[in-house]
Structure formats: structure tokens, C-alpha cells
Amino acid sequence: MRILYKLATVLVAAGLVTAAFAQDDRLDVAFEGGAVTLDPHARSETTTFAWQHHIFDTLTRRAPDGAILPWVLTDWENVEPTVWRMSVREGMTFHDGTPVTAEDVAYSLTRAATAPESEMKTYVGGVTTATAIDDGTVEVETAQADPALPINLSNIALLPKDAVEANGMQAFLENPIGSGPYTFVDWQQDERLELVAYDDYWGDVPEYREVLLRNIPSGSARVAALLSGEVDIAQKILPQDFARVERDPNAYVTQAASIRTIYLTMDYWRTESPGLPDGIENPFLDPRVRLAVWHAIDNEGIVEAVMGGAATVAEQFPPPAIEFHDPDAERPAYDPERARELLAEAGYEDGFRLILDSPNDRYLNDEFVAEAIAGMLSEVGIDTDVRAQTRTVFFPSLNEGAFTMYMAGWGWTAPYPTLPGFMRTRDMEAGHGTFNRPRYSSDSIDEAFIRGDLAVFDDDERIANARAILDEAIYEDVAYIPLYYENTIAGVRSGIEFESRPDEVMYAFEAKRDD
């Protein structure tokens, strides 16, 4: 394929129309990471999702603008507050030719909601039963009213019930069968996945017949592979490599504002905190100090100088593609003098020392951004050192509470579980505040979740309720400081039409020949 591709490139560069390119049916795509499993319910992680969804369709599908599209399910109706009736697409088949039925949908949803190994419980853990009431209809019951269920079903993959039950999941995964646009050929865990187009796919059959998804973890190696023609699409081109790609006549960069919010947060619960010198009481228990941090950070400067424009300044926690996003919301202005005033009012006119924790291999230029923030905080009197660590060290440390201030990111693949996950008082045994590592706590917000303010079916009322929770947690209490929305970026070989998606997944079946 590489020989054919290079030949095609030479001919195109010479202004000749080439038949060789049109015959090139293989697409090589480089990711920063790979699928750690092909069990589509076992891991809730973006790259693993992206690889799996070439084989497995999901019950609904999220469009690039955030809209929920009919997919395996073509229609859904809430017949009672806790009961949904859903229609299954007619004419679909799995890769072995067997028809897709309501039994397969009910089985898949039940497994996602109940299997011990399922990480999909985050999305559908409230589903109590899923029952096929005829070949094309499924009835779903939830423990509580769940108006977000159709959104969350965009994360739930369809499995063939009979094929899985015949020999068990482990045997099934040796040669998995889905109903998606590509069929399985070969897989090496976290390294590569080979696929061939499914000719009887219910939707548009992919333009590229053969696909190889590869893990190339190094950003410089991905760029080199793209520019040499070794791969056709490369994920996460670093901002410092943009000019190099754009100078190459055979490649271009595509980027879009993503649904990932990069944020800063602070210890909200301890008087003695590990990122402070011994003997200093935690200053971040005072809301004036938290607000001072927000005023001290120049988000526009970070986006321009550190991210090279490959990000969008965050006025608020939810990004624009999420329905809770309020277009009228405004963040506190960058105002170092106001930050110094607030610190003085709180009794810290002489400042204090601090360690800022950050990953160094999880987000675009994450360590560089943390260093820039440390410089801005030092300018107002918070003398800050950065402790940047690999993701395998950083995230377990956060879970153990080994931080005073940290920078991280959040992808809003499930907007409704996000709010209680980040803003409800942490109670891991009860499953509340799962991502609330700073231990933010508000009685009025807890009461809103208990009241079911996000379980209202009226869209306007539900969205207003969500925005009220966000207003209190973000703007009044400064529990989290949104910094920017990281762009989704890819480098693409000329002759291929491909656009980055806000949800950060890359699908080879969305690549087209640019004729």
C-alpha cells in the first residue's frame, strides 16, 4: 500500500490524474494509545471506544455537534416516568449474517448495566430491566426517571446475544462479531487492530476497504509517520508541530473544539494539605483565595502562547457542545491586581508556597501549561512549583488525596453523571461524588440532586436546574476553575477528506477520498 501511495503522491504532484490512488483501499491511522480490550462494555475510555466502535454499533450515536442520532435504535418514547419503549432498526445484520433483533438490544443493555466487569454502569447503571416485547421493540425500566437515557445509550455497544452466550465472552473476543462498518481481522492489545469493511453494513459502506489502527504514543513519531506517508491520519498533532505539517504539501491539520475541559482545582476539605509547607493552614478553605487564583490566570495567554491556538478559552465548565453550556456566562477577568487584593483580604498579603500537581503525558502540552500557571500564581504572591508526573502515577496519587492543587481534564461523554460526580458531596460507598477529589461540598447542591432536579423531563426546566448547580459550584464557590477546552487535532495526508470531532474519537469510516 505504501508503494502505491507514494506513487500516487508523485503523480498527483506532477499534475497527473492517477488510477493508482483510486485503487488504494487501505487506510493507516495512528493514535496516541490503543484499545486495552475489545469487550465493548468493559472500559470507558475514549481511544478504546474509538477502536471498538469500528466493529460494534452503539444503540444511539452522538453527532459532531452533540445531537443524539437514531442508530441501532430508531425511535424512543418515555411512556411512564421510569419506562421507555424503543424501536430497533429493521434490516440490520451482524457480521455473521444473523439479523439484529430486540433480544440482542435487551441483552446488550442488561449486560452493560449489570455485568461486574462493566464500566458502562456510569451511563446505564439506573436501568433495572430491558425486555424484548417483540422482534423490533424493547421496553426499558429505570430505577428513577432518567431523561438522559437516550444520550447515555450513545456509549452502549450492541452485542449478538447468541454468539456471546454460545461459548462465553472470552471465546467471543478471540474473533468478535459486531454490526458495525468494519469486521474484525486481527488485534494486538493496545498496539494494533486490523479491519475489513462490512459489505452488508446497514449504513454507508466505508470508502477504505482495509484499515489498520495503530498505537504510536510519541507525538514526534506520529508526525514523522504522517509526513513520511507511513500513516494516512495521525491523532494529536502537537501545536509545536503544526507549522511542520502545514509546510508539507502532502499533509494538513484538522482541529475542532472538543468536549474536554481542562481545569484547576484545590483542596477543599483539609486544614493541613500535602502541597503546602509544614505548619501552614490550607489557604484554599477561604473562598477569597480560590477566587484570587482565578483572577491570577491569563487563559487567553495560555491558549495563545502555550497551546499555539489549539484550544478554546473556557468561560465555564461545560463546553459549547453540552446542553448545560450557558452562552451568557462570563468568567472572572484576568486581573492580577485584584488577585493580590483578595489574598491580602484573606490575610495572605505576603503570599505562600505551593506545589501544583499535573500530568506530563495526558493532555496537549499539559506540563508546559502547568509551568505557565505556576509563573502566573508566583506573580501574585503564590510561589508555586510544578510536580509533573506520568498519568500512571498522577491519577492514582489524586485518588489517594496526595495534592493541594492540581490540573486535569474531563471529557463530557456523559453530561448528566458528570454533575453529581464532580459536585455532590463525596461518598464513595454510596457512589456520590466519584470524581470530587477536592471534596467540594454544598448542602443546597446535595439537596438539588436528592430532589431530582436533573431528572425533570421538561428540557428547559432541567437545563435551568443544571445551570443553577453550576453557577453555585463554579462562580460562587470556585470549586473548579475551567481553563480551556482542548482542541481535537489530527494530521491528514492530502487526498483524504477527514475532520476532527469534538468528542475526541477518530473513526476511519468517516474518511473519504478527496476527489
Side-chain angles (χ1 to χ4, degrees), residues 15 24 39 45 67-68 70 83-84 88 114 151 158 194 203 215 256 258 269 284 295 317 323 333 401 406 430 461 504:
D24 189 348
D39 180 343
E45 182 264 322
I68 295 302
V83 179
W84 291 83
V88 179
T114 61
I151 299 173
L158 176 70
E194 293 184 51
N215 175 9
S258 80
W269 87 103
F284 299 113
H295 279 300
F317 205 40
E323 60 181 339
Y406 71 83
E461 183 180 354
E504 299 184 322

Side-chain angles (χ1 to χ4, degrees), residues 289-472:
V289 178
R290 300 195 296 272
L291 183 58
V293 170
W294 205 338
H295 279 300
I297 297 173
D298 179 5
N299 286 7
E300 283 87 355
I302 291 172
V303 167
E304 289 303 316
V306 185
M307 298 299 291
T312 303
V313 171
E315 295 284 346
Q316 54 191 288
F317 205 40
I322 301 302
E323 60 181 339
F324 308 150
H325 184 90
D326 182 353
D328 298 324
E330 294 183 4
R331 65 188 169 84
Y334 168 53
D335 188 346
E337 188 55 38
R338 180 58 183 150
R340 294 186 191 96
E341 291 173 358
L342 286 165
L343 289 172
E345 290 172 15
Y348 296 99
E349 59 272 16
D350 295 327
F352 56 88
R353 292 188 61 83
L354 170 70
I355 293 175
L356 165 60
D357 284 284
S358 165
N360 59 16
D361 62 350
R362 177 61 185 89
Y363 313 108
L364 284 173
N365 286 344
D366 41 18
E367 183 175 359
F368 299 135
V369 172
E371 292 285 358
I373 291 172
M376 295 169 188
L377 294 179
S378 297
E379 282 290 317
V380 301
I382 304 175
D383 191 6
T384 306
D385 294 316
V386 172
R387 179 168 55 201
Q389 304 176 93
T390 63
R391 69 182 83 181
T392 57
V393 176
F394 173 74
F395 287 106
S397 296
L398 294 190
N399 293 335
E400 294 171 0
F403 67 88
T404 294
M405 173 187 285
Y406 71 83
M407 187 187 80
W410 179 255
W412 291 70
T413 54
Y416 284 89
T418 291
L419 294 195
F422 273 83
M423 291 156 196
R424 191 163 181 175
T425 298
R426 191 176 178 92
D427 181 345
M428 296 299 282
E429 189 171 334
H432 301 154
T434 307
F435 317 115
N436 185 0
R437 299 185 184 102
R439 312 293 203 273
Y440 168 67
S441 183
S442 160
D443 289 343
S444 58
I445 288 179
D446 287 346
E447 289 167 3
F449 290 124
I450 293 169
R451 249 191 337 262
D453 282 9
L454 299 186
V456 176
F457 279 87
D458 182 273
D459 291 344
D460 293 339
E461 183 180 354
R462 185 177 67 253
I463 292 170
N465 290 342
R467 288 176 177 171
I469 291 171
L470 286 159
D471 285 348
E472 180 178 341

